[in-house]
Amino acid sequence: MINSRKQESVQRGNAFFPIQYYLIDTTNPLYNLPLHWHLEFELIHIIQGNYTMFIGNSERVLYPDDICFLTGGILHGDGKDVGKCQYESVVFDPDMLRLKNYSSDEFISRMVDRQIYADSVISADAGNQDFLSIAENLYKAMKEKPEGYELFTTGYMFQFLGLVKERKCYFEKQLTPSTGKKLRTDQLKAVLNLVQTNYNSPLSLEEMADTAGLSPKYFCRVFREMTHHTPVEYLNLYRVNCACDKLRNTDDPIIDVAYGCGFNDFSYFIKMFKRYKGMTPFKYRNYDETKHKII
């Protein structure tokens, strides 16, 4: 779930062990990762294929065995050309590591408080094999859940953060993006918030530009530079993704789903749905996920 600020709000694991493992296949028609952020940390490992990801205020291409480490509050999601990829991820509450009087508490707390920013992408080269080895052990423990896996998992996370600190794969607050880039990121978040809360109503380019505090022409340029979508493309994509959720989780007639997600022309909805999902809404609703294989 993503709230009105585009901040994702999902229970990870449980209250005693707030961590969740995910295995993702971007070629699955049901896959969707809109731009969002969350307060938890996330560790992503590319298993196969290439994945274009939006991180912070720009796109990055991730390759096999690359690691992406996201601390809380970083805007991220699919890039424009996602690519065919399989990746795994763990999302966890950093408070599970902030042990009272533990020596690493200050370092982790400074990350949580955004005084320290970890390097988002750790490339798969010879110097980073230790990172990959620890991450793979962490994922294995989460998948197989052997006796005591909670202790193993927590230990691997401490090892990973220890390497981040030892290798200095982080930077201090004063080295964060320039004021201009931060402003543009804040403007983008404001527009994403507007789209998320008003996608099912008429929403004009002028309204989106006004929310960003920019002229429509300049807003279009900035939005496209940052997301590689035009504002209208992003709005249509968001509406299609909302329709996907309703198609899979309700029995509402497809035409009602279309109008309920902000499309006032049913044929246009069908056209946009096929463009972004590669199939009709009817086929999507009846898609058998268990038969899907990555290409």
Side-chain angles (χ1 to χ4, degrees):
M1 178 183 296
I2 298 176
N3 68 19
S4 61
R5 289 183 169 183
K6 297 296 289 181
Q7 177 187 325
E8 190 176 32
S9 177
V10 176
Q11 174 64 55
R12 316 289 185 186
N14 56 58
F16 301 102
F17 194 56
I19 180 172
Q20 190 72 42
Y21 173 84
Y22 301 93
L23 179 63
I24 307 296
D25 177 357
T26 65
T27 70
N28 189 325
L30 305 188
Y31 169 79
N32 168 46
L33 188 68
L35 295 180
H36 67 289
W37 68 88
H38 41 71
L39 298 180
E40 298 97 334
F41 289 5
E42 183 167 7
L43 191 63
I44 297 170
H45 167 229
I46 307 302
I47 299 173
Q48 65 181 64
N50 300 335
Y51 176 46
T52 302
M53 187 176 188
F54 185 95
I55 305 172
N57 51 46
S58 62
E59 287 190 347
R60 296 287 299 272
V61 179
L62 305 179
Y63 300 97
D65 284 339
D66 279 354
I67 297 290
C68 180
F69 179 41
L70 302 170
T71 50
I74 296 178
L75 188 66
H76 62 282
D78 290 337
K80 181 172 176 58
D81 298 313
V82 176
K84 297 178 179 180
C85 170
Q86 188 178 69
Y87 67 86
E88 55 190 344
S89 162
V90 289
V91 182
F92 61 94
D93 186 339
D95 278 342
M96 66 187 290
L97 303 179
R98 298 167 79 183
L99 306 180
K100 188 176 181 180
N101 296 324
Y102 189 79
S103 61
S104 71
D105 182 67
E106 181 183 358
F107 182 71
I108 298 172
S109 294
R110 292 184 70 198
M111 278 191 173
V112 172
D113 296 338
R114 302 179 201 175
Q115 296 174 4
I116 289 176
Y117 289 80
D119 293 346
S120 295
V121 178
I122 301 173
S123 299
D125 57 38
N128 292 321
Q129 288 305 304
D130 289 348
F131 283 105
L132 178 59
S133 178
I134 293 170
E136 288 178 331
N137 285 333
L138 191 160
Y139 297 129
K140 182 178 180 181
M142 286 297 300
K143 287 184 290 185
E144 298 181 359
K145 291 183 169 57
E147 185 69 25
Y149 82 96
E150 297 94 340
L151 296 173
F152 285 121
T153 299
T154 305
Y156 293 135
M157 286 190 288
F158 275 125
Q159 288 183 46
F160 188 91
L161 289 169
L163 269 186
V164 169
K165 185 175 183 180
E166 179 188 51
R167 305 279 176 84
K168 300 190 182 304
C169 297
Y170 63 91
F171 45 91
E172 303 291 335
K173 186 174 183 178
Q174 64 266 27
L175 296 180
T176 54
S178 67
T179 301
K181 286 186 176 180
K182 182 181 185 303
L183 176 61
R184 289 169 66 176
T185 300
D186 290 342
Q187 290 169 324
L188 177 59
K189 285 184 176 181
V191 175
L192 297 182
N193 174 35
L194 176 71
V195 170
Q196 195 273 338
T197 54
N198 296 278
Y199 71 92
N200 55 354
S201 304
L203 192 57
S204 69
L205 175 63
E206 287 72 21
E207 288 177 274
M208 290 189 277
D210 185 63
T211 297
L214 302 171
S215 69
K217 182 177 180 180
Y218 185 58
F219 166 66
C220 286
R221 192 179 86 185
V222 169
F223 193 93
R224 188 178 182 89
E225 284 177 355
M226 294 189 71
T227 69
H228 297 282
H229 290 286
T230 68
V232 173
E233 285 174 343
Y234 181 83
L235 176 60
N236 283 331
L237 176 58
Y238 189 86
R239 285 171 167 167
V240 165
N241 286 328
C242 290
C244 288
D245 182 64
K246 293 180 184 297
L247 289 170
R248 298 293 290 190
N249 297 298
T250 75
D251 294 322
D252 295 349
I254 293 177
I255 191 169
D256 290 349
V257 169
Y259 289 125
C261 290
F263 290 96
N264 56 15
D265 183 315
F266 187 61
S267 62
Y268 184 68
F269 165 70
I270 299 296
K271 178 181 178 181
M272 290 297 101
F273 198 98
K274 290 175 69 175
R275 172 183 294 180
Y276 292 119
K277 294 301 174 181
M279 62 178 69
T280 66
F282 178 81
K283 287 185 177 179
Y284 184 91
R285 168 169 270 173
N286 294 282
Y287 180 77
D288 185 353
E289 188 173 8
T290 64
K291 296 180 178 179
H292 176 76
K293 301 293 183 182
I294 190 168
I295 300 175

